[in-house]
Amino acid sequence: MRFAFLFAIFVITVQSGIAWRSFMRGRKNNGNLGEPNLTKAYVPIKEQWFTQNLDHSNPVEGRTWKQRYFVNSDFYKKDGPVFLMIGGEGPASSKWMIEGQMIEYAKQFGAMAFLLEHRYYGTSRPTLDLSVKNLVYLSSEQALADIAYFIEGMHLAYQIPHSAKWIVFGGSYSGSLAAWMRAKYPHLVHGAVSASGPLLAQIDFQQYYVIVENSLKTHSQACVDSIVAATKQVHIMLRHPIGQQGLAKLFNFCDPIDSGRTSQKDIANLYETLAGNFAEVVQYNRDNRNESSITIDTLCNIIIDEKKGIPVHRLAEVSNLLLRNNKEKCLDYKYNKMIEELRNISWNEQKLPGGRQWIYQTCTEFGFFQTSTARPYLFSETFPVEFFIQQCSDIFGPRFSHTLESGVERTNTIFGALDLSNVISNVVFVHGSIDPWHALGITKSSNPNAPAIYINGTAHCANVYPPSKDDLPELTKARKQIGQLINLWLQTTVYS
């Protein structure tokens, strides 16, 4: 249940239970990055609204809707640049207009700063509900067109000279949008900072758990070995009624395992959830948020501690720790319960805001399904790519299991996938070695006008958050490099 993505942010906004949290984690790994930690008390930034077209691809379609945005002009100097953070698969938080690395750059360069919420997320609601017929207007292409029209509109609304240079920022999915925005609208966007952006759409994202394993090994081989041992013990216990009862008690299941009512999909969902606990912590490891105080070291120290019992007992302690941290009363692994919730088309009744929308995008544009088949001994072989494709069909209808391949091919054809760095300028691609999403991004570039910065030891969108005294030297260096690149772009007049 999930394809860990992104919310990406900087152009970002942010988001990610156990079954529900990991579900979104998997599909984005959750589309959310979380909010920055504010170091001071601030007056909240007031939300603004911009009128958008519902369908940018059809000039005959006359319907419009209101898109939410925020603006901070405190640091703007006459004839200065404009920085735009692109929202991703979650509600836009005005905190990004107060603190965060983009705001640090805005202070440095005298820029006006905007944050634009992504259509269909947060309170930017183009349609009456989230039915399949209405979700047809949810796509990365429509989102890019929203940004283009927004930029044009802001010139008039805030009397920004048309000569002003716009730099867009994004992380995770919105990091992808930032790079694509520079490629598709170079006459509007002068430069782009793409943090942790996956640019290769891929149905079976096997590499994800390979990198999760490698990242866990940065703690110790014993950590990985203990997870393998715990997974084997879960296998054995699931085969017998007494073992099933023991698992239900150990892991605090919301529903007992019943051989007559527990399906293979339920078991797959259970394993995917347990694997997702480690994946989520790896993905957001030490990203400068209070809620991210649980790290790789935290989980590995538990899983290797033999004083805490046999491996399955330690695995249960890890699971229960994350349950408590996410204020979950029990571990809900039931597949049909998840599917029914994600079939809900009401804006106001979503258990996980943005969940249905992000899954729709993965089922139509990206894939990004984080499967276990490359590391079956670590997290089991029970959630292969077919498990996720079936979810597309079960949530949105049978045809969605047949059109995914063409949708992913279309995305890569339109946006250029990993070849983008060869044909673009004024873009920097930033990734961390701990972050599993770097496998689908550009981590090396031979184009000096579109360099890649690969930060050893950091995780998802680390450079987006406010600086911290605990930042690795490589991260501090990367932030400085990005600032130098922005300065260089602002000295040039190249538009392609």
Side-chain angles (χ1 to χ4, degrees), residues 173-355:
Y173 165 51
S174 65
S176 306
L177 292 175
W180 295 337
M181 194 67 202
R182 168 62 184 157
K184 296 298 179 181
Y185 297 93
H187 59 294
L188 297 176
V189 171
H190 191 71
V193 178
S194 174
S196 300
L199 298 173
L200 174 65
Q202 183 172 287
I203 297 175
D204 190 352
F205 187 10
Q206 285 191 330
Q207 309 100 301
Y208 188 88
Y209 277 107
V210 174
I211 299 173
V212 168
E213 178 179 342
N214 292 337
S215 296
L216 293 170
K217 285 180 180 177
T218 63
H219 177 278
S220 64
Q221 180 64 44
C223 181
V224 172
D225 293 343
S226 295
I227 296 171
V228 171
T231 301
K232 289 180 180 178
Q233 290 174 357
V234 172
H235 288 341
I236 294 170
M237 294 177 74
L238 281 171
R239 295 177 186 150
H240 306 283
I242 294 177
Q244 293 168 2
Q245 294 171 18
L247 286 174
K249 184 176 181 180
L250 276 172
F251 288 88
N252 193 23
F253 292 165
C254 297
D255 296 282
I257 296 177
D258 185 328
S259 58
R261 297 180 181 179
T262 303
S263 68
Q264 287 301 311
K265 291 180 181 178
D266 292 332
I267 299 303
N269 215 33
L270 170 61
Y271 276 113
E272 205 275 336
T273 297
L274 297 178
N277 288 335
F278 290 92
E280 181 177 20
V281 170
V282 166
Q283 181 170 311
Y284 299 108
N285 190 57
R286 302 183 189 280
D287 65 1
N288 293 347
R289 289 182 292 145
N290 285 337
E291 61 264 41
S292 298
S293 59
I294 296 176
T295 66
I296 290 174
D297 288 345
T298 306
L299 301 194
C300 286
N301 287 340
I302 292 172
I303 203 73
I304 67 173
D305 187 354
E306 295 182 0
K307 295 179 182 178
K308 295 182 180 294
I310 61 176
V312 70
H313 291 167
R314 299 174 231 155
L315 182 63
E317 183 168 334
V318 166
S319 176
N320 291 327
L321 170 66
L322 292 170
L323 275 176
R324 293 191 300 271
N325 190 64
N326 290 280
K327 298 179 173 58
E328 299 283 336
K329 295 181 179 179
C330 55
L331 194 159
D332 192 350
Y333 66 91
K334 300 295 285 185
Y335 180 85
N336 286 339
K337 193 181 294 187
M338 175 189 77
I339 296 300
E340 284 304 312
E341 176 59 36
L342 291 167
R343 287 175 176 168
N344 189 335
I345 66 172
S346 170
W347 285 107
N348 297 320
E349 297 176 9
Q350 288 187 302
K351 187 172 183 179
L352 182 66

Side-chain angles (χ1 to χ4, degrees), residues 453-470:
I453 298 177
Y454 188 63
I455 313 171
N456 189 43
T458 62
H460 201 57
C461 301
N463 63 292
V464 167
Y465 293 97
S468 164
K469 61 180 177 59
D470 298 321

Side-chain angles (χ1 to χ4, degrees), residues 154-173:
M154 293 304 100
H155 283 289
L156 178 62
Y158 291 90
Q159 298 182 341
I160 300 170
H162 278 83
S163 59
K165 295 183 173 74
W166 286 71
I167 308 294
V168 294
F169 297 79
S172 190
Y173 165 51

Side-chain angles (χ1 to χ4, degrees), residues 52-72:
Q52 283 283 10
N53 296 315
L54 176 62
D55 186 0
H56 294 290
S57 65
N58 182 5
V60 179
E61 168 63 73
R63 286 179 289 177
T64 60
W65 58 283
K66 299 290 187 180
Q67 186 170 23
R68 186 168 65 146
Y69 73 93
F70 300 92
V71 59
N72 183 344

Side-chain angles (χ1 to χ4, degrees), residues 39-103:
T39 59
K40 302 176 183 177
Y42 292 90
V43 176
I45 302 288
K46 183 180 179 181
E47 62 185 16
Q48 308 285 343
W49 300 90
F50 179 72
T51 300
Q52 283 283 10
N53 296 315
L54 176 62
D55 186 0
H56 294 290
S57 65
N58 182 5
V60 179
E61 168 63 73
R63 286 179 289 177
T64 60
W65 58 283
K66 299 290 187 180
Q67 186 170 23
R68 186 168 65 146
Y69 73 93
F70 300 92
V71 59
N72 183 344
S73 58
D74 289 350
F75 313 111
Y76 182 61
K77 296 180 181 179
K78 187 176 184 295
D79 299 326
V82 185
F83 292 169
L84 170 61
M85 177 180 278
I86 300 167
E89 65 277 30
S93 170
S94 63
K95 289 183 180 180
W96 288 106
M97 292 290 93
I98 297 171
E99 291 189 28
Q101 191 56 45
M102 188 186 76
I103 293 300

